Amino acid sequence: MELSDAARMILTESAPHPELLRVTRQAHDELAAGRPVRHTELSWMLKEAARKNVYPAVRARYGAGAFDEMVLALGREIDRQAPVVRR
């Protein structure tokens, strides 16, 4: 799944939550234009969507398989960008 598609899935259900809507719209627009989005923003989107209980609506609209792909796509990108902490 493309990152812009994953962001769009959250975007479609985030209208009741203005801050989530704003950040997700901005991230989607950047990704759709081929520009990178920082892992901190992607991580915030995932956490905030969970906190605002957006996931049940996303899962109902797109199905469990697409929901899982969305989370995996965003999670992989977050992991790819996040700095490695060595102890």
Side-chain angles (χ1 to χ4, degrees):
M1 174 177 289
E2 296 291 322
L3 289 173
S4 62
D5 294 333
R8 184 174 41 248
M9 289 173 69
I10 295 173
L11 180 61
T12 60
E13 300 301 329
S14 62
H17 313 287
E19 185 67 8
L20 179 59
L21 178 65
R22 183 187 66 76
V23 171
T24 305
R25 179 179 289 138
Q26 183 178 9
H28 174 265
D29 292 348
E30 291 296 308
L31 292 166
R35 294 185 290 266
V37 174
R38 292 178 37 199
H39 70 92
T40 53
E41 292 177 45
L42 298 175
S43 180
W44 184 88
M45 281 173 32
L46 276 176
K47 289 176 191 174
E48 189 68 5
R51 195 170 80 78
K52 297 293 185 180
N53 203 32
V54 170
Y55 289 158
V58 172
R59 189 177 284 118
R61 179 182 290 240
Y62 296 101
F67 173 81
D68 291 346
E69 286 182 45
M70 175 202 72
V71 173
L72 285 172
L74 291 168
R76 283 186 192 120
E77 182 62 15
I78 292 164
D79 285 347
R80 187 187 71 75
Q81 288 185 32
V84 176
V85 178
R86 300 194 190 271
R87 296 176 190 228

